[in-house]
Amino acid sequence: MCTETNSDQGHVDVYIDGRYRKTIDTYAPSRSAQQSVFTADLPDAAYHTLRLVKKSGQYLVIGRFTIR
């Protein structure tokens, strides 16, 4: 998952298929676009549910998801 990082961003909890995976930190002193902040290996090609929960910061910006 790619996003911008910036001073008005914060922590985001990532859940896949209802299971907590990681808290990512999208805060940075200045803006940077298309930062890779999370990757996950999924066991199969089935449908999956992604849920992002903004824990802090003013914004949550998602730039790109890549599924392989």
Side-chain angles (χ1 to χ4, degrees):
M1 178 172 71
C2 287
T3 183
E4 83 172 21
T5 55
N6 202 352
S7 61
D8 57 4
Q9 309 236 7
H11 293 94
V12 178
D13 285 348
V14 178
Y15 295 82
I16 298 176
D17 298 332
R19 193 176 119 218
Y20 170 81
R21 291 294 188 104
K22 183 178 184 178
T23 298
I24 55 176
D25 186 0
T26 61
Y27 172 84
S30 60
R31 183 180 183 276
S32 294
Q34 295 298 315
Q35 300 299 300
S36 179
V37 295
F38 179 78
T39 60
D41 292 323
L42 300 177
D44 54 40
Y47 290 98
H48 297 281
T49 301
L50 173 68
R51 181 170 59 114
L52 304 173
V53 179
K54 183 172 77 74
K55 304 293 281 187
S56 63
Q58 189 173 4
Y59 297 101
L60 167 58
V61 176
I62 300 303
R64 179 181 72 225
F65 292 105
T66 303
I67 301 170
R68 298 181 189 158

